[in-house]
Amino acid sequence: MELYERFRAGDIRALARAITLAESGHPLGQELLKRLRGHGQARVVGLTGSPGAGKSTLTDRLIEKARQRGERVAVLAVDPSSPFTGGAILGDRIRMMRHHQDPGVFIRSLASRGALGGLAGATVAALALLEAFGFERIFVETVGVGQSEVDIVRVADTTVLVLTPAAGDAVQAFKAGVMEIADVFVVNKFDLPGGERIVQELKTTLELAPARPGGWKPPVLTAVAPKAEGVDELFEAMDKHYRHILEQGLLNSQRLERARFEVESVIQEWGRRRTREGQGLIEQVAYGGLTPEEAAQQLLFSKG
Ligand SMILES: Nc1nc2c(ncn2[C@@H]2O[C@H](COP(=O)(O)OP(=O)(O)OP(=O)(O)O)[C@@H](O)[C@H]2O)c(=O)[nH]1
Ligand SMILES: [Mg+2]
């Protein structure tokens, strides 16, 4: 396959094309993924947090650090909140444009729900392609509060939760259940008032939290992203967590979890599609006659 050869030869346009194909669920994309999966290994860092918390500004600084170390870096900006904007609006939100000239940096936004397995599936597919292409570090930025933040953990090796001194930020995090799953906490916009208070709040809460796998204690850091303050410490904390995973032998279970997540995403998407086609059965559930289980049974397992 020509695209495969170009991909293997390191053609960046072949990578972009492959991601587009995989994102849309095109058979050619599936075929490529099948052949390329398992090649390469990147450190996958997920950055999540409420809109405008400074995820992109921080990522921009982290790219810089990784480049100084000679790593090849990719960024996936995932936007579950806007299925229709494509890359355009998201582009403005990605404050990393200055890296676009650098061939060691690849930045891509994902907002399509059209894919098999939905946006989540598209994200993992893109990750696999980026790893196979030889990127050593991949940042995944997700916007939004809620399920997407919980999901990111299942694909990232290290999850960074970006908070701000803004009132309610910590409360949101508690609600969404991200507190329990983030590996590193960073209070960005520490130049604004209220930063110290939220740091204390976080520390207190974390002390009460149940023990993590391998005994990891999530650090609470501070940053002022536009000034690159706290970025060295954040980078160091990310790598410390990665070393922890390696030492504890947790990397393999992370990979399995990622694959499980992918399969689940595809099943969910199939379920959604079949449900849309089964209007009659849905009505029978709504007005009586069928239980949801019976309808699901028929939708998923009946032939024709
Ligand atoms: N005062 C201050 N402003 C910051 C800091 N970090 C980022 N900002 C500003 O906050 C705004 C949002 O920053 P982004 O990096 O785009 O935030 P984001 O979390 O990626 O935003 P979305 O992707 O839209 O959710 C920008 O105007 C930044 O310049 C900080 O540490 N202090
Ligand atoms: Mg952003």
Side-chain angles (χ1 to χ4, degrees):
M1 189 200 304
E2 194 226 339
L3 186 58
Y4 175 81
E5 302 301 339
R6 280 171 49 215
F7 187 103
R8 295 296 284 163
D11 180 350
I12 200 90
R13 281 166 311 169
L15 168 66
R17 178 91 189 110
I19 294 179
T20 305
L21 288 172
E23 200 185 359
S24 65
H26 192 284
L28 198 58
Q30 305 276 324
E31 188 55 38
L32 260 177
L33 263 173
K34 206 161 140 182
R35 293 177 70 178
L36 290 166
R37 205 185 287 262
H39 291 266
Q41 174 107 298
R43 299 179 183 209
V44 180
V45 177
L47 287 110
T48 188
S50 51
K55 301 176 291 296
S56 298
T57 315
L58 270 175
T59 305
D60 177 75
R61 296 297 185 176
L62 293 169
I63 294 173
E64 203 170 75
K65 293 275 333 158
R67 290 301 288 148
Q68 282 164 10
R69 296 187 177 196
E71 292 176 7
R72 299 176 68 201
V73 189
V75 180
L76 283 179
V78 184
D79 191 354
S81 59
S82 61
F84 306 114
T85 54
I89 292 179
L90 206 61
D92 294 337
R93 299 170 76 173
I94 308 173
R95 294 164 200 282
M96 308 159 213
M97 293 307 168
R98 67 198 173 100
H99 295 292
H100 268 302
Q101 298 304 318
D102 181 348
V105 179
F106 179 85
I107 299 170
R108 172 71 184 238
S109 54
L110 293 175
S112 155
R113 288 169 189 275
L116 213 58
L119 187 55
T123 307
V124 193
L127 271 182
L129 290 168
L130 291 169
E131 282 194 314
F133 200 78
F135 287 102
E136 295 154 295
R137 191 177 298 265
I138 305 171
F139 294 107
V140 183
E141 177 186 338
T142 49
V143 193
V145 179
Q147 193 55 43
S148 61
E149 288 168 329
V150 180
D151 280 350
I152 196 177
V153 182
R154 299 182 60 186
V155 302
D157 298 316
T158 300
T159 300
V160 178
L161 179 60
V162 184
L163 296 160
T164 68
D169 234 24
V171 181
Q172 286 281 7
F174 292 123
K175 277 197 198 146
V178 215
M179 283 298 291
E180 293 96 58
I181 48 179
D183 304 303
V184 175
F185 293 79
V186 53
V187 178
N188 189 41
K189 306 198 180 181
F190 203 61
D191 53 326
L192 303 181
E196 201 49 62
R197 186 184 47 79
I198 191 168
V199 167
Q200 287 315 320
E201 249 175 63
L202 283 169
K203 286 187 172 165
T204 311
T205 316
L206 286 168
E207 271 164 30
L208 302 170
R212 303 295 185 94
W216 173 254
K217 294 214 183 327
V220 179
L221 309 172
T222 62
V224 183
K227 293 185 183 162
E229 282 175 33
V231 173
D232 284 353
E233 291 80 357
L234 175 56
F235 201 92
E236 181 46 44
M238 282 164 15
D239 274 3
K240 194 173 168 198
H241 179 257
Y242 194 80
R243 284 196 300 276
H244 168 82
I245 301 176
L246 287 181
E247 283 159 15
Q248 299 289 323
L250 297 169
L251 198 61
N252 202 41
S253 57
Q254 300 257 53
R255 301 287 137 152
L256 288 178
E257 182 61 14
R258 195 185 294 173
R260 183 172 297 122
F261 175 64
E262 256 186 299
V263 176
E264 274 178 29
S265 303
V266 173
I267 292 176
Q268 260 183 31
E269 190 59 25
W270 281 351
R272 265 195 289 272
R273 286 186 191 180
R274 294 303 296 259
T275 307
R276 276 198 296 272
E277 291 156 9
Q279 189 61 23
L281 292 171
I282 303 301
E283 280 168 13
Q284 288 182 58
V285 174
Y287 304 113
L290 274 186
T291 67
E293 288 80 5
E294 286 164 344
Q297 185 88 23
Q298 288 193 37
L299 281 171
L300 292 175
F301 305 119
S302 73
K303 300 230 158 38

